[in-house]
Amino acid sequence: MHEKMDGIPNASGIPGRWFVDEVADGSQGYPILFIHGIHASSDTWILENDLQEFTRKYGHQAAFIDLHPDEDMWKNGQLLKEKLSELYGYFKRKVVVVGHSKGGIDVQTALVHYGAGPYVERVITLSSPHHGSELADLAYSKWAGWLTDALKSKNNAVFSLQTGYMKSFRSQTDELERAKATPFYTFGGTGWGGMNSALYWGGLYLSRFGQSDGAVLVTSSRLPYGIEVGVQDWSHTTIKEGGEIFPYLKDLLTEQVHEVSYATMSGLAYEGETSVLHRGGVFAGVGVESFSVEEEVEKISVDWISDQQATTYELISPDGQVYKQFMVTEDATGFFPGAYHHSIIISKPLLGEWEMRAYNSQSEKYMLSILFHTGNSKAWNQFAGDGESLMGPWNAHDKPVKKTYTIHHIPTKSGNKNQTTLITSEDLSSLPLAEFEEGVHNITIDIEGETHEGNEFQRTIIQTVYVDGKGNIY
């Protein structure tokens, strides 16, 4: 569906609808098609964005399209192939495609799996999670279930961005000749702002895995056969704004890209190690969760993520001190749309049991996340989230006196949650990976133990595994 653009469009969000910037009609440069990401629409490029000012300034006509905001790359890729053909007929030439977030994966699917290559000159991706996002893993995990069910955010789009699923997608895509037929240029971001930023919690959570823009890791924004143009202090929001990104884009929009200037990698990175504990549920009246802080923890970040905004919260230390000053922000990662973060950071926390209390007369669904920051790079290094660390032993220097694993295994072949399988063991090797059926398996491992000094601790590991029809495990 093609519509003229007279000012701001009033029908955004209709899948398959595309429109062009009529003001820039007759521009000599390549037409540029902008593709939005997850839980978004073409509005993301137009409302509160100065992008069109720059496309016009540099002699390009912008085109915008609405895809399914909650569908996987297969459905969007098939739709996009059809619409790219229409755009080619309209412009009588190839377009340059700029995809933000999942939009970059959608266009690659259209090119590689649905044959849209003849209509596209080159592709530029802005913080596209080419290897998935650990936030998608979290959204489908055991402790997030109450919240994501309430938010209705468990859909095919989030499901397909789980890291295990994306490993399968990469195996189906990267070795095909079509994958390298169209040039790809990638950008990544490392900025997620302070505690008042809507991407702060996402960046803090992802800091355990590496630098990110608050929603997508820098490492996930890269393609092995793509050219990484720049990694700067952009957030997942600012990386698509004209004033921020177009100075880097303009050199990629010429007839022939001769040389790319690589931007310097910059941004916030935590020293030491960070590990996490998740809990979740539903309550009405008073909700209570407790957790322990052991030695060597230098700071804790507590985040109560809820479908409610106005709940009253208290964090109570082992000596009875009550903290009530929580920062409240609405989630902007795209993985928990409509959720509110209630966050507080405590430096040099006391050892012992802490308690989190929530007061709400209504029914509230929540997930509590506690990040433990330590200066010891060895203490929790097996929590990095890769496949080897999931099954691997503790570091010999930091092995606790005792530990117990409770494994929540959620096998899913679609976006629907199935029966959870519980395994309680002192040995992670009891997880029967070889017996997993075809599909995505979300594994939440709760760890409880006691250190050499006799202090209790709890942690959580989340891992997704994809098993294809041949029994291959990703």
Side-chain angles (χ1 to χ4, degrees):
M1 182 188 303
H2 166 227
E3 297 182 7
K4 287 188 176 182
M5 180 179 174
D6 299 315
I8 296 175
N10 57 10
S12 64
I14 300 175
R17 168 185 174 272
W18 61 269
F19 53 95
V20 300
D21 179 7
E22 299 290 343
V23 174
D25 195 26
S27 298
Q28 297 302 305
Y30 275 114
I32 312 171
L33 175 64
F34 292 93
I35 302 178
H36 63 81
I38 192 171
H39 298 144
S41 72
S42 56
D43 285 349
T44 196
W45 303 109
I46 302 163
L47 302 180
E48 299 180 3
N49 197 333
D50 56 355
L51 188 73
Q52 287 186 96
E53 172 188 335
F54 287 88
T55 56
R56 294 167 183 171
K57 176 181 177 181
Y58 287 99
H60 299 276
Q61 186 170 18
F64 306 92
I65 191 169
D66 285 294
L67 299 180
H68 298 279
D70 54 0
E71 285 291 348
D72 61 26
M73 67 285 288
W74 305 108
K75 188 163 185 176
N76 276 346
Q78 189 172 23
L79 175 62
L80 191 52
K81 187 264 183 182
E82 175 188 339
K83 300 305 171 182
L84 283 166
S85 175
E86 292 178 9
L87 282 157
Y88 183 79
Y90 178 85
F91 287 114
K92 308 298 188 222
R93 64 185 302 191
K94 293 182 178 182
V95 298
V96 173
V97 177
V98 176
H100 175 242
S101 195
K102 181 176 171 288
I105 300 168
D106 291 339
V107 69
Q108 186 177 33
T109 307
L111 295 172
V112 178
H113 296 284
Y114 294 104
Y119 315 125
V120 177
E121 182 67 21
R122 61 186 69 106
V123 176
I124 301 165
T125 65
L126 310 177
S127 276
S128 290
H130 293 296
H131 305 275
S133 175
E134 287 75 9
L135 291 173
D137 296 348
L138 177 60
Y140 270 88
S141 67
K142 159 69 177 177
W143 295 115
W146 290 273
L147 177 61
T148 49
D149 283 345
L151 299 172
K152 295 181 171 56
S153 58
K154 285 185 178 178
N155 53 48
N156 291 335
V158 177
F159 185 82
S160 68
L161 292 181
Q162 292 179 89
T163 56
Y165 191 103
M166 285 303 297
K167 285 180 181 178
S168 171
F169 177 79
R170 298 260 63 92
S171 74
Q172 298 175 56
T173 303
D174 292 347
E175 299 305 317
L176 299 178
E177 290 185 10
R178 283 180 176 176
K180 304 172 183 65
T182 304
F184 268 74
Y185 299 87
T186 68
F187 289 82
T190 62
W192 31 278
M195 280 196 70
N196 60 342
S197 164
L199 286 162
Y200 178 79
W201 175 83
L204 196 61
Y205 181 82
L206 291 174
S207 67
R208 301 181 302 124
F209 306 98
Q211 289 187 304
S212 79
D213 65 357
V216 175
L217 290 174
V218 171
T219 52
S220 188
S221 72
R222 295 167 173 155
L223 281 172
Y225 43 83
I227 298 175
E228 184 175 59
V229 183
V231 177
Q232 291 280 19
D233 190 24
W234 297 303
S235 74
H236 201 64
T237 299
T238 61
I239 199 170
K240 59 180 170 56
E241 295 174 356
E244 289 286 339
I245 198 65
F246 218 88
Y248 298 91
L249 293 186
K250 60 184 178 63
D251 293 332
L252 304 176
L253 302 173
T254 56
E255 193 71 28
Q256 184 71 34
V257 179
H258 296 290
E259 184 177 346
V260 174
S261 299
Y262 287 79
T264 304
M265 184 151 172
S266 62
L268 180 63
Y270 272 101
E271 296 181 357
E273 290 296 317
T274 306
S275 50
V276 68
L277 172 68
H278 294 297
R279 290 292 183 265
V282 57
F283 77 94
V286 182
V288 180
E289 294 282 0
S290 61
F291 61 93
S292 299
V293 173
E294 77 279 7
E295 67 276 5
E296 296 187 358
V297 174
E298 297 179 350
K299 181 170 61 176
I300 58 172
S301 303
V302 180
D303 188 48
W304 185 287
I305 316 172
S306 167
D307 62 344
Q308 306 284 323
Q309 183 177 15
T311 307
T312 300
Y313 299 97
E314 294 180 345
L315 178 64
I316 305 170
S317 71
D319 65 352
Q321 184 174 355
V322 180
Y323 299 87
K324 296 183 178 182
Q325 301 301 315
F326 286 79
M327 179 67 68
V328 182
T329 56
E330 188 170 0
D331 186 84
T333 66
F335 296 99
F336 299 88
Y340 294 92
H341 296 273
H342 310 266
S343 308
I344 189 170
I345 294 177
I346 306 295
S347 297
K348 302 187 183 308
L350 291 177
L351 273 66
E353 184 174 87
W354 290 68
E355 188 172 271
M356 182 75 185
R357 289 180 171 265
Y359 303 90
N360 193 338
S361 59
Q362 303 179 50
S363 176
E364 177 173 328
K365 286 82 175 177
Y366 68 92
M367 178 177 64
L368 175 63
S369 298
I370 301 102
L371 289 167
F372 301 85
H373 309 278
T374 71
N376 185 346
S377 62
K378 298 182 295 182
W380 295 96
N381 59 3
Q382 77 280 24
F383 287 79
D386 56 76
E388 291 183 0
S389 66
L390 175 65
M391 305 303 294
W394 283 72
N395 184 297
H397 298 290
D398 301 284
K399 185 175 180 179
V401 174
K402 61 181 180 179
K403 60 187 181 299
T404 302
Y405 302 99
T406 301
I407 303 166
H408 309 270
H409 168 219
I410 304 176
T412 53
K413 289 189 177 181
S414 65
N416 297 319
K417 182 174 70 174
N418 290 354
Q419 181 67 37
T420 299
T421 302
L422 293 178
I423 305 170
T424 300
S425 173
E426 295 186 1
D427 182 7
L428 273 181
S429 63
S430 62
L431 190 60
L433 288 174
E435 301 174 10
F436 282 3
E437 297 179 352
E438 180 182 358
V440 174
H441 300 257
N442 195 295
I443 303 163
T444 301
I445 303 175
D446 290 326
I447 304 172
E448 295 185 356
E450 187 177 286
T451 67
H452 282 298
E453 285 76 8
N455 296 308
E456 293 183 353
F457 67 90
Q458 305 90 29
R459 295 294 192 275
T460 305
I461 303 176
I462 295 171
Q463 183 83 49
T464 57
V465 175
Y466 183 85
V467 181
D468 66 15
K470 299 179 181 179
N472 297 313
I473 298 175
Y474 298 94

